[in-house]
Amino acid sequence: MKRYKKRADGRYATTIMLGYKPDGKPNNVFLSAKTEKELRDKIVEAKIKIKTGQTAKQSDSLLKDYASSWLDTYKASVSINTLAMYKNIVNHHIKPEIGHIPLNKLCRSDVQKLINDNQAHPRTCEQIKMTMVQILNCAIDDKLLMENVARKVTVPKRHKSERRILTDLEKDAIKKADFTVRERAFVMLLYYFGLRRGEALALTKSDIDLRQRFLTVNKTVVFEVNNPIVKTGAKSDAGNRSIPIPAHALPFFKDYLKTVDTFYLFPGKTTETLSKTQYVKMWERIIRKMNAAVTSDREKLIGAEPINGLTAHIFRHNYCTMLYYSGISQKKAVELMGHSDIKMIMEVYAHLDEKKEAVQEKLDNAISL
């Protein structure tokens, strides 16, 4: 029985000839496995497939060429943001690092090394594996490969950042900051309605009904590189919703709408709504003004900025928390937040329930005689 040499990555590999190509050259197929027995089984399976006409075509296509074709063929109809993610992974990770390898020579260790090189960014590793699995699955369907070597690569565990609410300092800064009217309007929309960034940017004057006291969400802005695109319909069907306008927010929005003379509330310089660059600059100004409002003289001397890491999504989690403390049911919270899945709301409510119970228990213990 032939023995196979174990490689440095711990796998056994060999190249077998399965007949000849149309040009008369040997049809060599590369195979690898964890154990010698698994490798022998693969060799037998490959030989059976060649006899029954099921074997993969021999292809010398480079991974980078097939990946480009895969993007054009299989990802042409996905959303703008999803396509941008796939293009980023393919063009900035897969092609530069392992794109030069022929599809039929690609090993699990090649993909694993790419993952390992990016282990400081767990989310990127997840996206690399997901993209590689999809690419190689398509290559198998096209009969260019016999196995998907990306399936069993391991990715580092990603610890999801803890959802947090606005701090007291951040709330104080919102009140005191020297915002422009438009900047304050954007912050108020995030705070009082828990909108996603794209939902806020897509709002028009007609979306705010001051008489009936509700705000309508039925559009969102997505960015194609820097260019804003307004998509009718929110992130999901559940995202189309009407949100009550709180009584204490009504005076501000009454005054603000009088100053708006454009269709969209946040128009860009040359686009219907703010471009990505314009939005980023506006958000940076908002954070800078919030810091200026609450930074002590001593902190200013050393360049300290007490407010950092604040994102539009934190306002959204803060809104969800306010719904809980207002006594809004989980079902209604899901509706107001525009979620198609109740899971996130349940997690937030369960976490806050636990905190409430802990406080009550401590009080009971402290007050008892």
Side-chain angles (χ1 to χ4, degrees):
M1 182 180 293
K2 181 178 178 181
R3 295 190 62 83
Y4 298 95
K5 188 175 180 181
K6 195 173 187 179
R7 302 185 310 180
D9 64 358
R11 292 178 67 83
Y12 295 86
T14 189
T15 299
I16 62 173
M17 189 179 82
L18 298 177
Y20 294 88
K21 300 179 187 179
D23 60 6
K25 293 182 180 179
N27 183 12
N28 295 319
V29 175
F30 176 80
L31 298 173
S32 68
K34 281 185 177 180
T35 65
E36 284 190 273
K37 181 182 181 305
E38 184 184 351
L39 182 58
R40 291 192 193 95
D41 290 342
K42 285 187 175 183
I43 293 171
V44 172
E45 182 183 1
K47 289 180 178 179
I48 291 173
K49 285 185 175 181
I50 192 69
K51 288 182 180 179
T52 59
Q54 300 176 47
T55 190
K57 304 170 189 175
Q58 180 64 16
S59 173
D60 294 327
S61 297
L62 299 182
L63 173 59
K64 62 182 180 181
D65 296 328
Y66 189 80
S68 294
S69 175
W70 173 81
L71 277 174
D72 294 337
T73 305
Y74 296 102
K75 297 301 171 184
S77 59
V78 299
S79 70
I80 292 172
N81 289 342
T82 302
L83 180 60
M85 182 276 292
Y86 282 123
K87 282 185 174 180
N88 175 61
I89 295 300
V90 169
N91 295 327
H92 294 100
H93 296 283
I94 294 174
K95 283 186 178 181
E97 299 299 324
I98 58 176
H100 63 284
I101 301 175
L103 271 175
N104 56 19
K105 297 293 184 184
L106 188 67
C107 304
R108 176 182 172 186
S109 58
D110 297 318
V111 184
Q112 187 65 63
K113 184 178 184 304
L114 176 58
I115 296 288
N116 295 346
D117 290 345
N118 289 276
Q119 61 184 331
H121 307 284
R123 179 58 181 154
T124 299
C125 291
E126 291 175 356
Q127 292 173 340
I128 290 172
K129 178 177 179 178
M130 175 182 68
T131 304
M132 282 298 305
V133 167
Q134 291 187 34
I135 290 172
L136 299 186
N137 276 343
C138 288
I140 290 172
D141 290 341
D142 289 339
K143 298 191 181 300
L144 298 176
L145 288 178
M146 296 178 62
E147 65 172 333
N148 192 325
V149 298
R151 280 192 180 280
K152 294 184 179 180
V153 297
T154 58
V155 297
K157 288 185 178 180
R158 178 165 61 103
H159 301 288
K160 292 184 179 180
S161 56
E162 183 182 357
R163 297 188 184 101
R164 74 171 180 88
I165 62 175
L166 292 168
T167 64
D168 290 339
L169 183 68
E170 288 165 345
K171 291 177 184 177
D172 190 38
I174 290 170
K175 296 175 186 176
K176 296 177 178 178
D178 185 24
F179 294 136
T180 64
V181 176
R182 185 163 80 160
E183 290 166 353
R184 185 167 294 280
F186 188 78
V187 172
M188 292 298 98
L189 287 167
L190 298 181
Y191 183 81
Y192 284 116
F193 304 101
L195 301 183
R196 299 176 177 91
R197 175 189 71 180
E199 292 171 342
L201 292 176
L203 288 174
T204 66
K205 289 182 70 172
S206 60
D207 291 328
I208 302 178
D209 189 330
L210 297 174
R211 181 172 297 179
Q212 298 293 325
R213 279 184 53 185
F214 66 80
L215 179 146
T216 300
V217 180
N218 55 21
K219 302 176 293 300
T220 189
V221 168
V222 295
F223 295 112
E224 187 171 23
V225 188
N226 188 47
N227 189 46
I229 297 176
V230 179
K231 294 183 66 177
T232 304
K235 186 177 181 182
S236 64
D237 289 339
N240 296 316
R241 61 202 188 276
S242 293
I243 308 173
I245 301 176
H248 45 274
L250 205 58
F252 171 80
F253 286 107
K254 278 184 178 178
D255 293 338
Y256 172 63
L257 290 183
K258 292 176 184 177
T259 70
V260 178
D261 58 2
T262 55
F263 182 69
Y264 288 100
L265 299 187
F266 304 101
K269 291 181 179 178
T270 59
T271 50
E272 287 185 317
T273 63
L274 292 177
S275 68
K276 187 172 184 179
T277 300
Q278 290 166 352
Y279 167 76
V280 169
K281 288 182 178 179
M282 181 181 74
W283 189 253
E284 288 174 346
R285 288 195 303 271
I286 287 170
I287 301 300
R288 190 163 57 247
K289 290 178 180 181
M290 287 177 64
N291 269 308
V294 295
T295 304
S296 67
D297 291 338
R298 183 180 178 184
E299 287 173 325
K300 288 177 181 177
L301 285 174
I302 61 175
E305 294 184 338
I307 296 174
N308 57 76
L310 181 61
T311 66
H313 204 76
I314 289 173
F315 282 81
R316 184 163 167 77
H317 184 64
N318 191 77
Y319 179 73
C320 185
T321 303
M322 289 193 296
L323 294 179
Y324 171 86
Y325 286 118
S326 299
I328 303 294
S329 68
Q330 285 188 16
K331 182 179 178 181
K332 190 63 180 178
V334 170
E335 180 184 323
L336 293 174
M337 292 288 291
H339 273 281
S340 57
D341 184 0
I342 195 174
K343 183 180 177 182
M344 192 277 273
I345 305 296
M346 288 179 65
E347 288 176 354
V348 172
Y349 270 50
H351 173 66
L352 294 173
D353 279 338
E354 288 176 7
K355 286 180 66 176
K356 182 191 287 185
E357 288 171 7
V359 170
Q360 289 173 339
E361 183 181 342
K362 289 176 182 177
L363 281 173
D364 289 341
N365 293 333
I367 295 173
S368 61
L369 290 173

